[in-house]
């Protein structure tokens, strides 16, 4: 995983994954390239999953108090 991939936004990571999927589905993609693409997809998936987990953790810290105001816990 390089720094460029770690700094991707979630949306950028998903877009890269979509592009990889298109290449993997192509009958013209050589096997060696497919293996490299698959490895890259696994790395991107881990990055996106981590970003989702971080967002989920932030969201679960926000709760509504009795007045309906959102507060951070």
């Amino acid at each position: 995983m390089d720094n460029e991939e770690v700094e991707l936004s979630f949306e950028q990571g998903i877009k890269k994954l979509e592009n990889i999927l298109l290449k993997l589905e192509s009958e013209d993609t050589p096997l060696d390239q497919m293996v490299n693409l698959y490895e890259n997809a696994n790395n991107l998936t881990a990055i996106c999953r981590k970003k989702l987990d971080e967002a989920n953790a932030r969201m679960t810290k926000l709760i509504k108090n009795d007045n309906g105001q959102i507060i951070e816990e």
Side-chain angles (χ1 to χ4, degrees), residues 10-60:
F10 176 78
E11 293 78 8
Q12 291 168 324
I14 294 297
K15 187 66 177 166
K16 281 191 166 205
L17 282 168
E18 290 171 348
N19 289 334
I20 288 172
L21 181 58
L22 290 174
K23 291 176 186 174
L24 287 172
E25 290 176 339
S26 171
E27 294 178 10
D28 298 329
T29 305
L31 179 60
D32 288 342
Q33 185 180 3
M34 290 180 88
V35 171
N36 289 334
L37 289 167
Y38 184 79
E39 289 173 344
N40 193 8
N42 280 334
N43 290 335
L44 285 167
T45 300
I47 291 168
C48 288
R49 184 173 292 123
K50 184 176 185 247
K51 290 186 183 295
L52 279 176
D53 290 343
E54 290 169 354
N56 187 45
R58 288 177 57 198
M59 293 296 290
T60 55

Side-chain angles (χ1 to χ4, degrees), residues 7 45 55 71:
E7 294 178 13
T45 300
I71 58 173

